[in-house]
Amino acid sequence: MKYELVVVGPLETNCYLVYDEETRECAVIDPGADPEKIVAAIADLELKPVIVLNTHGHVDHIGANSDIVRKYAVPLAMHTADTGMLKVSDYIELSLLLGARNSPAPDRLLAEGDEIAVGRTSLRVIHTPGHTPGSIGFVYGGVLFSGDTLFCGGVGRTDLPGGSWKDLERSIRERILTLPEETVVLPGHGPWTTVEQERSSNPFLT
Ligand SMILES: [Fe+2]
């Protein structure tokens, strides 16, 4: 499996295309904005989307779900606990800024331990509540797509509705820092990092 990063929207959300190099099947993680940019990257790499995945339900991660799901006629999957966040009218100013559209309802509800097939391999779901109740990460090989749970040198904010610092800290310590230390962490915003680097130097965790 390989991945391609497409940075979308004014909040610079990291949308990832995770794909099987041979079959070219791909999962689209967090199409938050700029659908035309995501579509262009998919075309450039000659990928065949098979599913859209959301790490959580915030509007800057789901704003282009509708465009991508319709264009490729693929299912949408996210955690049950964030399905109440998919109407952009709930955050109208930010949604206008992002050009976000209402997301369709998910076709598949994800939970801890689920496997999502992409080409010849699969992504494993880890449930990491805290930033939102339904925040999840996707793991394959030595890579974690962490959403807004853990960043390079930072952690997700917990002051938005449904956020919990206690849950976030537990998720990071028990579900992420327990992964192999060389695991590459690909967050929902900003640069990549590793489990080892965050365990040793993240100011929110040391
Ligand atoms: Fe978020």
Side-chain angles (χ1 to χ4, degrees):
M1 287 254 263
K2 288 185 75 172
Y3 72 89
E4 177 79 5
L5 167 62
V6 187
V7 180
V8 296
L11 299 184
E12 303 192 322
T13 301
N14 289 338
C15 168
Y16 296 98
L17 309 174
V18 190
Y19 62 95
D20 180 318
E21 283 174 88
E22 202 169 295
T23 69
R24 311 308 287 176
E25 288 168 281
C26 87
V28 181
I29 300 179
D30 288 351
D34 294 342
E36 62 296 329
K37 203 169 161 183
I38 299 168
V39 168
I42 289 169
D44 278 354
L45 290 163
E46 300 180 341
L47 301 180
K48 294 173 251 176
V50 294
I51 195 164
V52 171
L53 303 173
N54 292 137
T55 58
H56 63 294
H58 281 159
V59 67
D60 57 320
H61 294 256
I62 62 108
N65 274 358
S66 152
D67 301 79
I68 302 300
V69 161
R70 291 210 181 110
K71 170 146 182 93
Y72 299 102
V74 291
L76 170 68
M78 65 188 301
H79 192 275
T80 322
D82 276 12
T83 55
M85 301 182 176
L86 302 176
K87 283 208 183 65
V88 299
S89 53
D90 294 346
Y91 343 79
I92 194 67
E93 285 170 19
L94 182 56
S95 299
L96 286 169
L97 179 74
L98 296 165
R101 293 175 201 265
N102 284 335
S103 172
D107 304 284
R108 182 173 167 191
L109 295 174
L110 299 174
E112 170 69 32
D114 283 354
E115 297 275 345
I116 301 150
V118 182
R120 297 162 301 166
T121 178
S122 64
L123 304 172
R124 179 168 52 88
V125 174
I126 58 168
H127 184 208
T128 52
H131 177 64
T132 62
S135 283
I136 51 179
F138 304 105
V139 182
Y140 79 86
V143 172
L144 164 69
F145 297 92
S146 65
D148 287 359
T149 298
L150 179 64
F151 299 115
C152 179
V155 298
R157 56 191 287 189
T158 54
D159 58 330
L160 297 168
S164 159
W165 167 252
K166 196 166 134 267
D167 289 352
L168 183 79
E169 190 181 21
R170 190 193 307 133
S171 290
I172 293 172
R173 291 194 190 283
E174 295 181 5
R175 309 311 320 283
I176 297 182
L177 297 188
T178 49
L179 293 168
E181 63 175 20
E182 64 277 12
T183 302
V184 170
V185 178
L186 297 161
H189 302 269
W192 65 278
T193 181
T194 64
V195 165
E196 198 283 324
Q197 184 176 325
E198 297 313 307
R199 182 165 36 206
S200 59
S201 66
N202 188 307
F204 295 90
L205 302 170
T206 49

